[in-house]
Amino acid sequence: MKTVWEKYDAKQMKAVMAFSEDYKDFLDHAKTEREAVSKSIELAEKAGFKEFRNVKKIKAGDKFYFNNRGKSLALFVIGKKPIEEGMNILGAHIDSPRIDVKQNPLYEDNGLVLMDTHYYGGIKKYQWTARPLAIHGVVCKKDGTKIDICIGEKESDPIVEISDLLIHLAKDQMSKPGSNVVEGEDLNALAGSIPAKSKKEEKDPVKKNLLDILKKDYDMEEADFISAELELVPCGKARDLGLDRSMIMGYGHDDRICAYTSLAALLESDKPERTSVCILTDKEEIGSIGSTGAQSAFFENSVAELINVQGEYNDLKIRHALENSRMLSSDVSAAYDPNYPQVNEAKNAAYFGKGISFNKYTGSRGKSGSNDAPAEFIAKIRKIMDENDVAFQFSELGRVDQGGGGTIAYVLANKNMDVVDAGIAVQNMHAPYETASKADIYEAYRAYKVFLKEMD
Ligand code: MN
Ligand code: MN
């Protein structure tokens, strides 16, 4: 099989490896949707972007971002043409499967304190046991203060874990189907075992001690868990995989791998013909709903704000802007895995090292729920990718009727714009650690730059 690796000269190899170093750094600092937004803003501001606030007039080349509740982001580089003539949009999601701490989480059981959880997104629950987990998130207090939490990433930090049953006593468990080898309600994270020192008999002394620690270190009370968003994620950094360092293993490639490559492409956009856009959205893993999901009015409202200062405001202009736009809905695809070849149909599988992976459609059971991009639009994409020597492949997520999945593509396509699924193929999708090829990451970044510049 020919891959893009064969075509790289020494200089390109250096560029591929250097880009991956930057991506790993992003991944290590973007383990939650909130952290991904903060890190993206930091990079955008360094590249000259400003938050859109009290802006009276815009001109070609201006760079703005809109921050939605610190959980989703829309970034724009204003083009030479009016926005109503259409935008070139890169969209990706920044939420990943994880284990969320419940609103009333803490309890004590025979001298151990545990945190009850409810998982987020589609996971094989057994994969999340017996491994070090870090706690990332925020605690919002009644007085309006917000405490940022990140425990478990520094080597000196403590961690938590969800225990697994020892193999010696797992006879009954091992005969269960994989979907309930570990039950959702048994995902309780071990968080402490030292009792508070007290003269009188306390009811839950270990829990009391833990609450004392939380009070001392984070100024939080037990009731503050109610207004907290705490996410348990695999701790540690993304790592080079393979003795040739050709791949990266890390938490949350889905979909920060497309988010980062899209963002990096946008940050380099300079006075484009059509306005360049990058949308980084939340809640994709649970249906793209809610104020910070792709279905929110947030993006449309941001476009309205820009049109309002680009000239005479008119509602029709917003509709035209959306209708005349083109979008790459960038999300991870399933990479061919030699351990499980039976789930793919070889001609239409995505392979490591073959570049960015486009999917005409996603969905399941007869393409249900998919966007199914128009052939005319795909022809334009092939043309600009070929002209710019970008490595790409067209693939499907698995054999017909083997399963499937969705993305945010249909959400924006419903606004009547041309959208096609594009992204980077990964192995172990939704596992605590996922794997991707550095060559595909680099080709995706190149593809996004070409799309922003050349799509008309
Ligand atoms: Mn995804
Ligand atoms: Mn996913």
PDB file of all heavy atoms in Angstrom, residues 89-95 255 279-285 287-289 292-295 327-331 362 369 371 405-414 419-421:
ATOM      1  N   ILE A  89     -16.175  27.357   5.767  1.00  0.00           N
ATOM      2  CA  ILE A  89     -16.266  27.044   7.198  1.00  0.00           C
ATOM      3  C   ILE A  89     -15.606  25.702   7.518  1.00  0.00           C
ATOM      4  O   ILE A  89     -15.841  24.704   6.822  1.00  0.00           O
ATOM      5  CB  ILE A  89     -17.751  26.966   7.637  1.00  0.00           C
ATOM      6  CG1 ILE A  89     -18.491  28.262   7.275  1.00  0.00           C
ATOM      7  CG2 ILE A  89     -17.864  26.681   9.120  1.00  0.00           C
ATOM      8  CD1 ILE A  89     -20.008  28.174   7.454  1.00  0.00           C
ATOM      9  N   LEU A  90     -14.795  25.700   8.567  1.00  0.00           N
ATOM     10  CA  LEU A  90     -14.256  24.455   9.123  1.00  0.00           C
ATOM     11  C   LEU A  90     -14.929  24.250  10.475  1.00  0.00           C
ATOM     12  O   LEU A  90     -14.883  25.136  11.320  1.00  0.00           O
ATOM     13  CB  LEU A  90     -12.742  24.567   9.327  1.00  0.00           C
ATOM     14  CG  LEU A  90     -11.901  24.927   8.094  1.00  0.00           C
ATOM     15  CD1 LEU A  90     -10.470  25.227   8.517  1.00  0.00           C
ATOM     16  CD2 LEU A  90     -11.953  23.800   7.069  1.00  0.00           C
ATOM     17  N   GLY A  91     -15.563  23.114  10.657  1.00  0.00           N
ATOM     18  CA  GLY A  91     -16.242  22.866  11.936  1.00  0.00           C
ATOM     19  C   GLY A  91     -15.755  21.579  12.566  1.00  0.00           C
ATOM     20  O   GLY A  91     -15.562  20.577  11.877  1.00  0.00           O
ATOM     21  N   ALA A  92     -15.548  21.608  13.868  1.00  0.00           N
ATOM     22  CA  ALA A  92     -15.135  20.399  14.592  1.00  0.00           C
ATOM     23  C   ALA A  92     -15.703  20.486  16.001  1.00  0.00           C
ATOM     24  O   ALA A  92     -16.140  21.549  16.428  1.00  0.00           O
ATOM     25  CB  ALA A  92     -13.611  20.300  14.627  1.00  0.00           C
ATOM     26  N   HIS A  93     -15.683  19.377  16.715  1.00  0.00           N
ATOM     27  CA  HIS A  93     -16.189  19.451  18.099  1.00  0.00           C
ATOM     28  C   HIS A  93     -15.064  19.260  19.100  1.00  0.00           C
ATOM     29  O   HIS A  93     -14.051  18.621  18.800  1.00  0.00           O
ATOM     30  CB  HIS A  93     -17.358  18.489  18.322  1.00  0.00           C
ATOM     31  CG  HIS A  93     -17.018  17.023  18.326  1.00  0.00           C
ATOM     32  ND1 HIS A  93     -16.704  16.345  19.481  1.00  0.00           N
ATOM     33  CD2 HIS A  93     -16.956  16.114  17.331  1.00  0.00           C
ATOM     34  CE1 HIS A  93     -16.476  15.061  19.190  1.00  0.00           C
ATOM     35  NE2 HIS A  93     -16.621  14.903  17.890  1.00  0.00           N
ATOM     36  N   ILE A  94     -15.262  19.839  20.284  1.00  0.00           N
ATOM     37  CA  ILE A  94     -14.186  19.839  21.284  1.00  0.00           C
ATOM     38  C   ILE A  94     -14.585  19.119  22.562  1.00  0.00           C
ATOM     39  O   ILE A  94     -13.854  19.145  23.550  1.00  0.00           O
ATOM     40  CB  ILE A  94     -13.730  21.289  21.606  1.00  0.00           C
ATOM     41  CG1 ILE A  94     -14.939  22.192  21.863  1.00  0.00           C
ATOM     42  CG2 ILE A  94     -12.878  21.841  20.463  1.00  0.00           C
ATOM     43  CD1 ILE A  94     -14.577  23.596  22.273  1.00  0.00           C
ATOM     44  N   ASP A  95     -15.751  18.468  22.565  1.00  0.00           N
ATOM     45  CA  ASP A  95     -16.113  17.601  23.701  1.00  0.00           C
ATOM     46  C   ASP A  95     -15.678  16.179  23.352  1.00  0.00           C
ATOM     47  O   ASP A  95     -15.640  15.809  22.184  1.00  0.00           O
ATOM     48  CB  ASP A  95     -17.624  17.651  23.968  1.00  0.00           C
ATOM     49  CG  ASP A  95     -18.460  17.198  22.766  1.00  0.00           C
ATOM     50  OD1 ASP A  95     -18.132  17.624  21.630  1.00  0.00           O
ATOM     51  OD2 ASP A  95     -19.419  16.426  22.947  1.00  0.00           O
ATOM     52  N   ASP A 255     -12.689  15.049  19.314  1.00  0.00           N
ATOM     53  CA  ASP A 255     -12.376  15.461  17.969  1.00  0.00           C
ATOM     54  C   ASP A 255     -11.411  16.635  18.006  1.00  0.00           C
ATOM     55  O   ASP A 255     -11.382  17.476  17.120  1.00  0.00           O
ATOM     56  CB  ASP A 255     -13.691  15.833  17.263  1.00  0.00           C
ATOM     57  CG  ASP A 255     -13.497  16.181  15.797  1.00  0.00           C
ATOM     58  OD1 ASP A 255     -12.614  15.592  15.162  1.00  0.00           O
ATOM     59  OD2 ASP A 255     -14.210  17.061  15.310  1.00  0.00           O
ATOM     60  N   ILE A 279     -15.484  26.809  13.448  1.00  0.00           N
ATOM     61  CA  ILE A 279     -16.454  26.627  14.530  1.00  0.00           C
ATOM     62  C   ILE A 279     -15.976  25.466  15.398  1.00  0.00           C
ATOM     63  O   ILE A 279     -15.748  24.364  14.888  1.00  0.00           O
ATOM     64  CB  ILE A 279     -17.857  26.259  13.981  1.00  0.00           C
ATOM     65  CG1 ILE A 279     -18.330  27.246  12.912  1.00  0.00           C
ATOM     66  CG2 ILE A 279     -18.870  26.187  15.111  1.00  0.00           C
ATOM     67  CD1 ILE A 279     -19.616  26.784  12.221  1.00  0.00           C
ATOM     68  N   LEU A 280     -15.836  25.712  16.683  1.00  0.00           N
ATOM     69  CA  LEU A 280     -15.462  24.650  17.617  1.00  0.00           C
ATOM     70  C   LEU A 280     -16.632  24.462  18.566  1.00  0.00           C
ATOM     71  O   LEU A 280     -16.954  25.359  19.347  1.00  0.00           O
ATOM     72  CB  LEU A 280     -14.187  25.020  18.377  1.00  0.00           C
ATOM     73  CG  LEU A 280     -12.970  25.300  17.477  1.00  0.00           C
ATOM     74  CD1 LEU A 280     -11.768  25.709  18.318  1.00  0.00           C
ATOM     75  CD2 LEU A 280     -12.626  24.090  16.614  1.00  0.00           C
ATOM     76  N   THR A 281     -17.267  23.310  18.467  1.00  0.00           N
ATOM     77  CA  THR A 281     -18.543  23.153  19.148  1.00  0.00           C
ATOM     78  C   THR A 281     -18.508  22.071  20.231  1.00  0.00           C
ATOM     79  O   THR A 281     -17.663  21.178  20.218  1.00  0.00           O
ATOM     80  CB  THR A 281     -19.646  22.892  18.090  1.00  0.00           C
ATOM     81  OG1 THR A 281     -20.892  22.745  18.737  1.00  0.00           O
ATOM     82  CG2 THR A 281     -19.364  21.644  17.305  1.00  0.00           C
ATOM     83  N   ASP A 282     -19.435  22.186  21.153  1.00  0.00           N
ATOM     84  CA  ASP A 282     -19.541  21.301  22.316  1.00  0.00           C
ATOM     85  C   ASP A 282     -20.706  20.325  22.081  1.00  0.00           C
ATOM     86  O   ASP A 282     -21.478  20.496  21.136  1.00  0.00           O
ATOM     87  CB  ASP A 282     -19.821  22.206  23.534  1.00  0.00           C
ATOM     88  CG  ASP A 282     -19.933  21.457  24.843  1.00  0.00           C
ATOM     89  OD1 ASP A 282     -19.336  20.385  24.985  1.00  0.00           O
ATOM     90  OD2 ASP A 282     -20.637  21.963  25.754  1.00  0.00           O
ATOM     91  N   LYS A 283     -20.824  19.312  22.914  1.00  0.00           N
ATOM     92  CA  LYS A 283     -22.007  18.437  22.992  1.00  0.00           C
ATOM     93  C   LYS A 283     -22.248  17.539  21.773  1.00  0.00           C
ATOM     94  O   LYS A 283     -23.327  16.965  21.649  1.00  0.00           O
ATOM     95  CB  LYS A 283     -23.288  19.275  23.248  1.00  0.00           C
ATOM     96  CG  LYS A 283     -23.288  20.042  24.562  1.00  0.00           C
ATOM     97  CD  LYS A 283     -23.560  19.143  25.746  1.00  0.00           C
ATOM     98  CE  LYS A 283     -23.569  19.908  27.057  1.00  0.00           C
ATOM     99  NZ  LYS A 283     -22.200  20.105  27.607  1.00  0.00           N
ATOM    100  N   GLU A 284     -21.243  17.415  20.882  1.00  0.00           N
ATOM    101  CA  GLU A 284     -21.453  16.540  19.715  1.00  0.00           C
ATOM    102  C   GLU A 284     -21.684  15.108  20.160  1.00  0.00           C
ATOM    103  O   GLU A 284     -22.504  14.399  19.596  1.00  0.00           O
ATOM    104  CB  GLU A 284     -20.247  16.622  18.775  1.00  0.00           C
ATOM    105  CG  GLU A 284     -20.502  15.956  17.410  1.00  0.00           C
ATOM    106  CD  GLU A 284     -20.276  14.441  17.389  1.00  0.00           C
ATOM    107  OE1 GLU A 284     -19.584  13.910  18.285  1.00  0.00           O
ATOM    108  OE2 GLU A 284     -20.804  13.787  16.472  1.00  0.00           O
ATOM    109  N   GLU A 285     -20.960  14.699  21.193  1.00  0.00           N
ATOM    110  CA  GLU A 285     -21.035  13.297  21.613  1.00  0.00           C
ATOM    111  C   GLU A 285     -22.387  12.930  22.209  1.00  0.00           C
ATOM    112  O   GLU A 285     -22.683  11.753  22.393  1.00  0.00           O
ATOM    113  CB  GLU A 285     -19.911  12.981  22.620  1.00  0.00           C
ATOM    114  CG  GLU A 285     -18.496  13.137  22.053  1.00  0.00           C
ATOM    115  CD  GLU A 285     -18.172  12.115  20.960  1.00  0.00           C
ATOM    116  OE1 GLU A 285     -19.004  11.231  20.692  1.00  0.00           O
ATOM    117  OE2 GLU A 285     -17.084  12.220  20.369  1.00  0.00           O
ATOM    118  N   GLY A 287     -25.335  14.515  20.947  1.00  0.00           N
ATOM    119  CA  GLY A 287     -26.412  14.910  20.038  1.00  0.00           C
ATOM    120  C   GLY A 287     -26.387  16.346  19.554  1.00  0.00           C
ATOM    121  O   GLY A 287     -27.346  16.798  18.923  1.00  0.00           O
ATOM    122  N   SER A 288     -25.317  17.084  19.854  1.00  0.00           N
ATOM    123  CA  SER A 288     -25.148  18.472  19.367  1.00  0.00           C
ATOM    124  C   SER A 288     -26.246  19.421  19.828  1.00  0.00           C
ATOM    125  O   SER A 288     -26.500  20.448  19.199  1.00  0.00           O
ATOM    126  CB  SER A 288     -25.065  18.495  17.822  1.00  0.00           C
ATOM    127  OG  SER A 288     -23.931  17.797  17.395  1.00  0.00           O
ATOM    128  N   ILE A 289     -26.917  19.069  20.895  1.00  0.00           N
ATOM    129  CA  ILE A 289     -28.029  19.881  21.380  1.00  0.00           C
ATOM    130  C   ILE A 289     -27.545  20.922  22.411  1.00  0.00           C
ATOM    131  O   ILE A 289     -26.370  20.932  22.774  1.00  0.00           O
ATOM    132  CB  ILE A 289     -29.140  19.008  22.018  1.00  0.00           C
ATOM    133  CG1 ILE A 289     -28.557  17.751  22.692  1.00  0.00           C
ATOM    134  CG2 ILE A 289     -30.135  18.532  20.980  1.00  0.00           C
ATOM    135  CD1 ILE A 289     -27.636  17.952  23.754  1.00  0.00           C
ATOM    136  N   THR A 292     -24.618  25.216  23.774  1.00  0.00           N
ATOM    137  CA  THR A 292     -23.238  25.184  23.288  1.00  0.00           C
ATOM    138  C   THR A 292     -23.007  24.114  22.221  1.00  0.00           C
ATOM    139  O   THR A 292     -21.892  23.933  21.754  1.00  0.00           O
ATOM    140  CB  THR A 292     -22.247  24.976  24.458  1.00  0.00           C
ATOM    141  OG1 THR A 292     -22.611  23.778  25.162  1.00  0.00           O
ATOM    142  CG2 THR A 292     -22.307  26.136  25.432  1.00  0.00           C
ATOM    143  N   GLY A 293     -24.072  23.395  21.843  1.00  0.00           N
ATOM    144  CA  GLY A 293     -23.966  22.388  20.781  1.00  0.00           C
ATOM    145  C   GLY A 293     -24.111  23.027  19.408  1.00  0.00           C
ATOM    146  O   GLY A 293     -24.470  24.202  19.272  1.00  0.00           O
ATOM    147  N   ALA A 294     -23.865  22.241  18.361  1.00  0.00           N
ATOM    148  CA  ALA A 294     -23.901  22.780  16.991  1.00  0.00           C
ATOM    149  C   ALA A 294     -25.297  23.271  16.611  1.00  0.00           C
ATOM    150  O   ALA A 294     -25.445  24.127  15.742  1.00  0.00           O
ATOM    151  CB  ALA A 294     -23.418  21.727  16.000  1.00  0.00           C
ATOM    152  N   GLN A 295     -26.344  22.725  17.254  1.00  0.00           N
ATOM    153  CA  GLN A 295     -27.703  23.146  16.894  1.00  0.00           C
ATOM    154  C   GLN A 295     -28.100  24.481  17.518  1.00  0.00           C
ATOM    155  O   GLN A 295     -29.152  25.030  17.209  1.00  0.00           O
ATOM    156  CB  GLN A 295     -28.721  22.076  17.315  1.00  0.00           C
ATOM    157  CG  GLN A 295     -28.452  20.736  16.658  1.00  0.00           C
ATOM    158  CD  GLN A 295     -29.616  19.763  16.805  1.00  0.00           C
ATOM    159  OE1 GLN A 295     -30.754  20.149  16.649  1.00  0.00           O
ATOM    160  NE2 GLN A 295     -29.316  18.512  17.082  1.00  0.00           N
ATOM    161  N   MET A 327     -18.833  24.010   3.760  1.00  0.00           N
ATOM    162  CA  MET A 327     -18.269  23.603   5.048  1.00  0.00           C
ATOM    163  C   MET A 327     -17.632  22.218   4.992  1.00  0.00           C
ATOM    164  O   MET A 327     -18.160  21.303   4.362  1.00  0.00           O
ATOM    165  CB  MET A 327     -19.369  23.587   6.104  1.00  0.00           C
ATOM    166  CG  MET A 327     -18.881  23.131   7.469  1.00  0.00           C
ATOM    167  SD  MET A 327     -20.224  23.131   8.660  1.00  0.00           S
ATOM    168  CE  MET A 327     -19.393  22.493  10.100  1.00  0.00           C
ATOM    169  N   LEU A 328     -16.504  22.101   5.688  1.00  0.00           N
ATOM    170  CA  LEU A 328     -15.959  20.785   6.010  1.00  0.00           C
ATOM    171  C   LEU A 328     -16.340  20.496   7.454  1.00  0.00           C
ATOM    172  O   LEU A 328     -15.905  21.197   8.370  1.00  0.00           O
ATOM    173  CB  LEU A 328     -14.432  20.754   5.861  1.00  0.00           C
ATOM    174  CG  LEU A 328     -13.863  20.953   4.453  1.00  0.00           C
ATOM    175  CD1 LEU A 328     -12.346  20.806   4.476  1.00  0.00           C
ATOM    176  CD2 LEU A 328     -14.479  19.971   3.458  1.00  0.00           C
ATOM    177  N   SER A 329     -17.202  19.519   7.642  1.00  0.00           N
ATOM    178  CA  SER A 329     -17.541  19.078   8.987  1.00  0.00           C
ATOM    179  C   SER A 329     -16.469  18.073   9.365  1.00  0.00           C
ATOM    180  O   SER A 329     -16.458  16.945   8.881  1.00  0.00           O
ATOM    181  CB  SER A 329     -18.918  18.418   8.987  1.00  0.00           C
ATOM    182  OG  SER A 329     -19.074  17.667  10.168  1.00  0.00           O
ATOM    183  N   SER A 330     -15.553  18.521  10.204  1.00  0.00           N
ATOM    184  CA  SER A 330     -14.367  17.704  10.433  1.00  0.00           C
ATOM    185  C   SER A 330     -14.480  16.908  11.711  1.00  0.00           C
ATOM    186  O   SER A 330     -14.605  17.478  12.793  1.00  0.00           O
ATOM    187  CB  SER A 330     -13.135  18.602  10.443  1.00  0.00           C
ATOM    188  OG  SER A 330     -12.979  19.120   9.135  1.00  0.00           O
ATOM    189  N   ASP A 331     -14.468  15.615  11.533  1.00  0.00           N
ATOM    190  CA  ASP A 331     -14.580  14.726  12.688  1.00  0.00           C
ATOM    191  C   ASP A 331     -13.788  13.460  12.376  1.00  0.00           C
ATOM    192  O   ASP A 331     -13.528  13.153  11.215  1.00  0.00           O
ATOM    193  CB  ASP A 331     -16.052  14.398  12.949  1.00  0.00           C
ATOM    194  CG  ASP A 331     -16.302  14.042  14.408  1.00  0.00           C
ATOM    195  OD1 ASP A 331     -15.343  13.681  15.115  1.00  0.00           O
ATOM    196  OD2 ASP A 331     -17.475  14.118  14.846  1.00  0.00           O
ATOM    197  N   THR A 362     -22.261   9.573   6.541  1.00  0.00           N
ATOM    198  CA  THR A 362     -21.990   8.784   7.755  1.00  0.00           C
ATOM    199  C   THR A 362     -23.289   8.033   8.053  1.00  0.00           C
ATOM    200  O   THR A 362     -23.871   7.444   7.162  1.00  0.00           O
ATOM    201  CB  THR A 362     -21.565   9.696   8.919  1.00  0.00           C
ATOM    202  OG1 THR A 362     -22.591  10.663   9.163  1.00  0.00           O
ATOM    203  CG2 THR A 362     -20.259  10.414   8.607  1.00  0.00           C
ATOM    204  N   GLY A 369     -29.582   9.395   9.328  1.00  0.00           N
ATOM    205  CA  GLY A 369     -28.971  10.437  10.162  1.00  0.00           C
ATOM    206  C   GLY A 369     -27.771  11.104   9.525  1.00  0.00           C
ATOM    207  O   GLY A 369     -27.108  11.927  10.154  1.00  0.00           O
ATOM    208  N   ASN A 371     -25.596  13.269   6.419  1.00  0.00           N
ATOM    209  CA  ASN A 371     -25.751  14.458   5.584  1.00  0.00           C
ATOM    210  C   ASN A 371     -25.719  14.106   4.096  1.00  0.00           C
ATOM    211  O   ASN A 371     -26.436  14.675   3.312  1.00  0.00           O
ATOM    212  CB  ASN A 371     -24.628  15.430   5.990  1.00  0.00           C
ATOM    213  CG  ASN A 371     -24.291  16.438   4.928  1.00  0.00           C
ATOM    214  OD1 ASN A 371     -25.167  17.157   4.469  1.00  0.00           O
ATOM    215  ND2 ASN A 371     -23.050  16.504   4.529  1.00  0.00           N
ATOM    216  N   GLY A 405     -22.195   6.007  12.871  1.00  0.00           N
ATOM    217  CA  GLY A 405     -22.014   7.142  13.766  1.00  0.00           C
ATOM    218  C   GLY A 405     -22.437   8.399  13.058  1.00  0.00           C
ATOM    219  O   GLY A 405     -22.670   8.395  11.846  1.00  0.00           O
ATOM    220  N   GLY A 406     -22.554   9.488  13.806  1.00  0.00           N
ATOM    221  CA  GLY A 406     -22.967  10.767  13.224  1.00  0.00           C
ATOM    222  C   GLY A 406     -21.977  11.856  13.552  1.00  0.00           C
ATOM    223  O   GLY A 406     -21.033  11.647  14.313  1.00  0.00           O
ATOM    224  N   THR A 407     -22.181  13.015  12.954  1.00  0.00           N
ATOM    225  CA  THR A 407     -21.312  14.179  13.173  1.00  0.00           C
ATOM    226  C   THR A 407     -22.192  15.426  13.181  1.00  0.00           C
ATOM    227  O   THR A 407     -23.416  15.321  13.145  1.00  0.00           O
ATOM    228  CB  THR A 407     -20.281  14.319  12.032  1.00  0.00           C
ATOM    229  OG1 THR A 407     -20.994  14.576  10.820  1.00  0.00           O
ATOM    230  CG2 THR A 407     -19.447  13.059  11.862  1.00  0.00           C
ATOM    231  N   ILE A 408     -21.561  16.606  13.165  1.00  0.00           N
ATOM    232  CA  ILE A 408     -22.353  17.837  13.125  1.00  0.00           C
ATOM    233  C   ILE A 408     -22.713  18.231  11.683  1.00  0.00           C
ATOM    234  O   ILE A 408     -23.365  19.242  11.466  1.00  0.00           O
ATOM    235  CB  ILE A 408     -21.621  19.024  13.799  1.00  0.00           C
ATOM    236  CG1 ILE A 408     -20.301  19.359  13.082  1.00  0.00           C
ATOM    237  CG2 ILE A 408     -21.347  18.724  15.262  1.00  0.00           C
ATOM    238  CD1 ILE A 408     -19.679  20.683  13.524  1.00  0.00           C
ATOM    239  N   ALA A 409     -22.327  17.420  10.700  1.00  0.00           N
ATOM    240  CA  ALA A 409     -22.502  17.810   9.291  1.00  0.00           C
ATOM    241  C   ALA A 409     -23.952  18.180   8.974  1.00  0.00           C
ATOM    242  O   ALA A 409     -24.217  19.218   8.356  1.00  0.00           O
ATOM    243  CB  ALA A 409     -22.033  16.687   8.372  1.00  0.00           C
ATOM    244  N   TYR A 410     -24.895  17.348   9.382  1.00  0.00           N
ATOM    245  CA  TYR A 410     -26.295  17.578   9.010  1.00  0.00           C
ATOM    246  C   TYR A 410     -26.842  18.874   9.629  1.00  0.00           C
ATOM    247  O   TYR A 410     -27.734  19.498   9.067  1.00  0.00           O
ATOM    248  CB  TYR A 410     -27.163  16.379   9.428  1.00  0.00           C
ATOM    249  CG  TYR A 410     -27.441  16.343  10.912  1.00  0.00           C
ATOM    250  CD1 TYR A 410     -28.617  16.909  11.432  1.00  0.00           C
ATOM    251  CD2 TYR A 410     -26.535  15.781  11.803  1.00  0.00           C
ATOM    252  CE1 TYR A 410     -28.859  16.900  12.799  1.00  0.00           C
ATOM    253  CE2 TYR A 410     -26.777  15.780  13.165  1.00  0.00           C
ATOM    254  CZ  TYR A 410     -27.933  16.333  13.656  1.00  0.00           C
ATOM    255  OH  TYR A 410     -28.169  16.356  15.005  1.00  0.00           O
ATOM    256  N   VAL A 411     -26.296  19.257  10.776  1.00  0.00           N
ATOM    257  CA  VAL A 411     -26.823  20.434  11.479  1.00  0.00           C
ATOM    258  C   VAL A 411     -26.643  21.686  10.624  1.00  0.00           C
ATOM    259  O   VAL A 411     -27.574  22.465  10.416  1.00  0.00           O
ATOM    260  CB  VAL A 411     -26.120  20.632  12.841  1.00  0.00           C
ATOM    261  CG1 VAL A 411     -26.649  21.877  13.538  1.00  0.00           C
ATOM    262  CG2 VAL A 411     -26.292  19.410  13.723  1.00  0.00           C
ATOM    263  N   LEU A 412     -25.433  21.863  10.088  1.00  0.00           N
ATOM    264  CA  LEU A 412     -25.162  23.037   9.259  1.00  0.00           C
ATOM    265  C   LEU A 412     -25.752  22.860   7.866  1.00  0.00           C
ATOM    266  O   LEU A 412     -26.212  23.819   7.247  1.00  0.00           O
ATOM    267  CB  LEU A 412     -23.654  23.305   9.193  1.00  0.00           C
ATOM    268  CG  LEU A 412     -22.985  24.007  10.391  1.00  0.00           C
ATOM    269  CD1 LEU A 412     -23.606  25.384  10.595  1.00  0.00           C
ATOM    270  CD2 LEU A 412     -23.071  23.233  11.694  1.00  0.00           C
ATOM    271  N   ALA A 413     -25.771  21.604   7.379  1.00  0.00           N
ATOM    272  CA  ALA A 413     -26.360  21.353   6.063  1.00  0.00           C
ATOM    273  C   ALA A 413     -27.853  21.715   6.077  1.00  0.00           C
ATOM    274  O   ALA A 413     -28.404  22.139   5.061  1.00  0.00           O
ATOM    275  CB  ALA A 413     -26.162  19.898   5.664  1.00  0.00           C
ATOM    276  N   ASN A 414     -28.482  21.586   7.234  1.00  0.00           N
ATOM    277  CA  ASN A 414     -29.898  21.965   7.362  1.00  0.00           C
ATOM    278  C   ASN A 414     -30.126  23.453   7.124  1.00  0.00           C
ATOM    279  O   ASN A 414     -31.246  23.883   6.878  1.00  0.00           O
ATOM    280  CB  ASN A 414     -30.443  21.586   8.745  1.00  0.00           C
ATOM    281  CG  ASN A 414     -30.701  20.096   8.876  1.00  0.00           C
ATOM    282  OD1 ASN A 414     -30.624  19.361   7.891  1.00  0.00           O
ATOM    283  ND2 ASN A 414     -31.001  19.652  10.078  1.00  0.00           N
ATOM    284  N   VAL A 419     -22.110  20.823   2.725  1.00  0.00           N
ATOM    285  CA  VAL A 419     -21.262  20.317   3.807  1.00  0.00           C
ATOM    286  C   VAL A 419     -20.804  18.905   3.444  1.00  0.00           C
ATOM    287  O   VAL A 419     -21.592  18.112   2.925  1.00  0.00           O
ATOM    288  CB  VAL A 419     -22.040  20.233   5.142  1.00  0.00           C
ATOM    289  CG1 VAL A 419     -21.112  19.773   6.272  1.00  0.00           C
ATOM    290  CG2 VAL A 419     -22.694  21.556   5.504  1.00  0.00           C
ATOM    291  N   VAL A 420     -19.546  18.619   3.712  1.00  0.00           N
ATOM    292  CA  VAL A 420     -19.092  17.233   3.586  1.00  0.00           C
ATOM    293  C   VAL A 420     -18.284  16.868   4.827  1.00  0.00           C
ATOM    294  O   VAL A 420     -17.608  17.721   5.414  1.00  0.00           O
ATOM    295  CB  VAL A 420     -18.269  17.002   2.291  1.00  0.00           C
ATOM    296  CG1 VAL A 420     -16.962  17.773   2.307  1.00  0.00           C
ATOM    297  CG2 VAL A 420     -18.010  15.505   2.068  1.00  0.00           C
ATOM    298  N   ASP A 421     -18.396  15.621   5.239  1.00  0.00           N
ATOM    299  CA  ASP A 421     -17.611  15.138   6.371  1.00  0.00           C
ATOM    300  C   ASP A 421     -16.163  14.934   5.945  1.00  0.00           C
ATOM    301  O   ASP A 421     -15.891  14.348   4.899  1.00  0.00           O
ATOM    302  CB  ASP A 421     -18.180  13.817   6.888  1.00  0.00           C
ATOM    303  CG  ASP A 421     -19.380  14.034   7.790  1.00  0.00           C
ATOM    304  OD1 ASP A 421     -19.173  14.554   8.903  1.00  0.00           O
ATOM    305  OD2 ASP A 421     -20.506  13.713   7.382  1.00  0.00           O
TER     306      ASP A 421
END
